[in-house]
Every structure is written in C-alpha cells, then in structure tokens.
Amino acid sequence: MTSVRVDKHDGNEAAATSSEGYERGLGPRQVQMIAIGGAIGVGLFLGAGANIAKAGPSLILMYALAGVIIFFIMRALGELLLYRPVSGSFAEYSREFLGPFFGYVTGWTYWLMWIVTGMAELTAAAIYINYWFPAIPQWVTALVFLVVLYIANLISVKLFGEIEFWFSMVKVTALVGMIVIGLGVLTFGFSAAGDTAAVSNLWAFDGFFPKGIGSSLMTLQGVMFAYLAVELVGVTAGESENPEKTLPKAINSLPWRIALFYVGALTVILCVVKWTEFAPGVSPFVAAFAKIGIPAGAAIVNFVVLTAALSSCNSGMYSTGRMLRDLASNGEAPKALGKLAASKTPAIGITVSVALMGIGVLLNYVVPEKAFGYVTSVATAAGIWTWMMILVSHIRYRRAVEAGRLPASSFPAPGGSVCSWIALVFLLFVTGLIAYDPDSRISLYVGAGWAIALAIGWFLMRGNKTEGTAEPTREYADVAK
C-alpha cells in the first residue's frame, strides 16, 4: 500500500506546501467559513418546508438531536485529523484502520456523493436563476455555472477558499438577518405577522408532535441530508496553513453553528408563522418573509438559496478532485488522476469529476422533478456510509492508542469512543428509516448496485496491482487488529 505517514507537526507552521504536494493555501478565515458553510445548505433552505409539513414544530428537536450526533462525528474526525492531517482524510483513515478495501470503498463512495449532489445543485441553481431570467434555458445557466466554478477550482486552492468564504458569508448573513427580523416581530409585534406571532405557536396547533413521534422520526433522513458536507473541513486538512490550530477551532464551533442556524432559525420561524401554513416544495424562509410582508423577501431568499447551491457544487469539485488523487496514490484509481498541475491542484481529477457532473446539464431535458429527490436520497446514503467509516476508524484508533501502538492525538474526542458508538447506532437507525420509507428506499437499491460495481472494480485492480500496493503495511495491519 502506498501511503506516507505524516507527522502531525510537520508543515504546521504555515509551510507553503504540504507533504502531499498540495499548497497550504487555506487560511484560518477560509477554513472557518468552509466549516460554517458546510453546515448551511439547500437542505435547510428548501428541504425544511416538506419536513415541517411532516413533523410540525417537533422538527426543531430532530435537528437538535441530529446536530448532537454530527458533533460526535466531527469530534471523532477531529481526533483523527490531528493525529495525522491528510487531504485524503476519512478515506485514508478507513484504509489505515480497516484495510485497503474500506479506504477504496469510502473514497469512491464519497466521490459519488458529491457527483450526484453536484448534478442536483447545478439544476437547482439554474431553476433559481429562472426566477429573474425566465427566458434563459436552464441548461445554459447550468453550463455557465459549471464552467466558471471549474475554472476557479483549477486556478488555485486559494481562489476556491475565497469563493467558498464569500458564499458562506452570504448564507450566514442572510440567516442571522432572518433570525433578527423574526425576533423583532415576536418582541415588538410589527408587520402583518405581528398579531399572530407567538412562542405558543410551537404547541398551540395539535401540540409539539402534531403528527406523532413516528412521523417526526421519519424526517431524520431529510435532516441528515441537510447536514451533508459538514465533514468537508476534514478534506481541507492537507491544504490548511496550520491544521493544528484551525481544525480544532472550526470543529469546536460546530455546536453553536447548529444551535443558531438550524435550531435557532427554525424556532424563530415557527414562532412567527404557524406550522400549518408551511407546505412541501416551498421554502419556509420564503413563506415567513411573505407573511411578514417584506417586499423583496422572496428575491432575497432565492438569492441565498442560489448561493447555497453554488457553494455545494463548488465544494463538490474541490473534494472529488482530492478524493480521486488519494485513490490514485494508493493504486485504487488510474495513476493519471494522481497528478498535480503547476497550480498544485489535482486538475485531472477535477476535470473528470466536472465532466460527470456535466451530465446533470443534459439531465435537465429528460429527468422528471421527482428524480432529483432520488438523487438526494442517494447522496444521503453515501454520506451516512462516510460518517460510519469515520466513527469505526475512530474506535479502532482509540483502541490502538490505549494499547500503546499509536501516539495520542492532541485533540481527543470527549468521552473517548463511547460517543462514536452512540453515533454509529444512530446512523444505523436512520438507515433503517431509509429502508422503511418507499420514496427513499431506492437509494439502498442504488447503494447495492454501487457496492457490486466497487467489488468488481476492486478484484480487477488487485490483479493489476504491484506487490507493494496489494496489501496494507505491517504497521497498518497491526493497528487494525
């Protein structure tokens, strides 16, 4: 197995280049905003509408519960990142602690998650542009966005980080503004919503669980989709100027981000507007602004959701290129995908990924609207696999540290591996919910087909591998025991 062990202190003093050849071009400001932006996406701005209709005010509790689990996952990842900060991140840790096959599956599955997400987000962005320019064909807009973001990702990691910084800034500013306006309506009673806005709206209409606890739990799969990409900060490890400082700070800020942007924003909105007035397919933020009576409210939210979609697509291009390079460096993808351009970016890997995302432009002609719901469920299933591999790798790592086989991380997860076990059980429960729901069950069928394809690819590649890449090193094999 071709894998380089990186000392956690090497290159942490703002070195120009990481040991993997990447430019350490992401500063603390950009890493912080990438982490914040990863927790705010289209799943919140649009998906919350359908979930409110299913669960009512209890959706707030579901976001809070899932948020706790996400924090457990990120602290587990954080401990691994400070033990060995690498751009391959969770695929590398799966490879180290579970064996080459699991690293291979995790890397390719995370790549698939971003490819299908990128397809959906491109189409979504084109739809949002149609709000202002209905005469422009959707495929044209989608193609323009694809090309612009592709070029930006090829130029340098600094440019990617800067674009993601401003995308995240727009989302954060918009959400904070919505919360402040909502609190103003609740406190001072101004606007058309002032007469009916009240905290009692959280329980006054058939209670806090109006559709029953079972219906509330069924929204967890959609809630988890909203949190996809929060792990992206782990992929930046190999290109952060000072991962020893920036990554713990970014991960530790996750609880207040979830509390403010998810739990806080939804609580305020559901106090201002009765949950019965929200409908699937309509952003709850658009509905709330319309109720309050802000003239440009719909246009503002449309712009913010457009930003969220482009941010997701931008992140997808970044992460897929890095994952393909990690796979190639371990003999699990064509060698050409492992090459870096003069700009220190994995240009070939990004190009291949963008070409496949471009299929989403063509799908605008032929794929019905419901198919994009299927795409999001496939992305959720792929994301859950990634999170599970982070947790299992963390459990294996802690076992190795306790046995004295590996050095302790400078950023240990609270509760050791106990919280990882809790999160793992929770993710298995959510997988059961996906299997139970007829609409999302298709993602498991796709997952089964994907697993068969990966298994075939693995056995074909093993026949072509050199002796050095066929098996894990002795050190890694010992760790996995």
Side-chain angles (χ1 to χ4, degrees):
M1 172 178 164
T2 307
S3 185
V4 180
R5 178 165 295 285
V6 182
D7 188 275
K8 66 181 179 181
H9 298 291
D10 288 348
N12 281 354
E13 300 302 321
T17 306
S18 74
S19 58
E20 301 166 279
Y22 289 118
E23 176 188 6
R24 289 202 181 275
L26 296 176
R29 171 180 64 93
Q30 293 166 324
V31 172
Q32 277 289 335
M33 270 301 178
I34 288 171
I36 292 173
I40 307 171
V42 176
L44 171 63
F45 288 116
L46 284 180
N51 287 326
I52 289 173
K54 292 178 183 177
S58 66
L59 183 65
I60 298 168
L61 181 60
M62 296 301 106
Y63 271 107
L65 174 61
V68 171
I69 299 301
I70 290 295
F71 181 61
F72 289 167
I73 295 170
M74 290 304 295
R75 281 305 303 258
L77 177 58
E79 182 167 358
L80 292 169
L81 287 170
L82 269 295
Y83 147 69
R84 192 163 72 95
V86 289
S87 188
S89 192
F90 19 86
E92 260 301 300
Y93 303 132
S94 298
R95 190 174 290 114
E96 176 174 351
F97 296 107
L98 299 171
F101 178 72
F102 285 93
Y104 159 80
V105 171
T106 300
W108 278 110
T109 300
Y110 194 65
W111 174 83
L112 174 70
M113 184 194 89
W114 277 114
I115 292 296
V116 297
T117 299
M119 290 180 185
E121 301 292 15
L122 277 173
T123 298
I127 292 172
Y128 302 144
I129 285 292
N130 273 3
Y131 177 86
W132 294 291
F133 306 103
I136 300 178
Q138 280 184 207
W139 72 269
V140 173
T141 308
L143 183 60
V144 169
F145 284 143
L146 183 73
V147 171
V148 170
L149 293 178
Y150 167 61
I151 293 173
N153 270 270
L154 288 184
I155 292 174
S156 73
V157 70
K158 287 184 178 179
L159 182 56
F160 158 78
E162 202 61 28
I163 291 173
E164 202 57 31
F165 173 85
W166 288 108
F167 278 160
S168 295
M169 184 66 76
V170 169
K171 293 186 285 186
V172 169
T173 303
L175 274 179
V176 171
M178 292 172 187
I179 292 171
V180 170
I181 291 170
L183 289 175
V185 173
L186 280 171
T187 305
F188 302 107
F190 63 81
S191 86
D195 294 336
T196 57
V199 176
S200 60
N201 283 341
L202 294 178
W203 59 81
F205 300 93
D206 298 324
F208 190 69
F209 291 91
K211 299 291 184 71
I213 295 178
S215 183
S216 298
L217 290 174
M218 287 302 295
T219 64
L220 280 174
Q221 49 187 311
V223 168
M224 296 308 287
F225 173 73
Y227 284 125
L228 285 184
V230 71
E231 75 291 326
L232 181 66
V233 68
V235 185
T236 70
E239 293 169 276
S240 300
E241 286 180 0
N242 196 337
E244 190 82 23
K245 292 182 179 179
T246 56
L247 294 177
K249 188 175 180 181
I251 291 171
N252 278 336
S253 65
L254 186 63
W256 73 259
R257 286 186 267 130
I258 290 173
L260 177 65
F261 299 131
Y262 281 90
V263 178
L266 283 174
T267 300
V268 169
I269 282 180
L270 289 170
C271 286
V272 171
V273 183
K274 296 180 291 186
W275 75 268
T276 53
E277 296 186 24
F278 294 108
V282 178
S283 168
F285 296 95
V286 172
F289 269 47
K291 180 74 173 179
I292 293 170
I294 297 177
I300 292 172
V301 174
N302 193 73
F303 175 72
V304 174
V305 177
L306 169 65
T307 302
L310 293 179
S311 171
S312 179
C313 194
N314 189 43
S315 297
M317 292 182 187
Y318 171 86
S319 57
T320 51
R322 273 71 185 172
M323 275 297 164
L324 286 181
R325 182 172 188 244
D326 176 70
L327 289 163
S329 67
N330 286 280
E332 296 160 0
K335 289 184 179 180
L337 298 176
K339 295 181 180 178
L340 286 179
S343 59
K344 303 295 183 184
T345 61
I348 298 176
I350 293 173
T351 301
V352 170
S353 299
V354 168
L356 289 171
M357 286 184 190
I359 295 174
V361 177
L362 299 175
L363 292 179
N364 277 313
Y365 289 112
V366 295
V367 176
E369 202 171 302
K370 194 171 182 179
F372 283 96
Y374 296 152
V375 165
T376 59
S377 66
V378 170
T380 303
I384 287 175
W385 171 269
T386 300
W387 292 335
M388 284 182 174
M389 290 301 99
I390 291 171
L391 295 169
V392 175
S393 297
H394 177 249
I395 292 168
R396 288 289 186 95
Y397 167 71
R398 288 300 295 240
R399 189 179 299 167
V401 170
E402 290 165 5
R405 294 194 299 270
L406 287 177
S409 170
S410 61
F411 187 48
S417 59
V418 174
C419 292
S420 289
W421 278 111
I422 294 171
L424 195 57
V425 171
F426 180 86
L427 292 179
L428 289 172
F429 173 69
V430 173
T431 303
L433 294 178
I434 292 174
Y436 181 76
D437 184 359
D439 288 336
S440 59
R441 194 180 300 151
I442 188 173
S443 65
L444 300 183
Y445 300 146
V446 173
W450 177 246
I452 292 171
L454 287 178
I456 293 172
W458 173 256
F459 286 113
L460 288 176
M461 282 192 303
R462 279 178 68 90
N464 296 325
K465 280 188 176 184
T466 64
E467 185 177 342
T469 61
E471 299 294 338
T473 64
R474 176 63 181 268
E475 178 185 9
Y476 291 173
D478 289 343
V479 169
K481 291 179 181 176

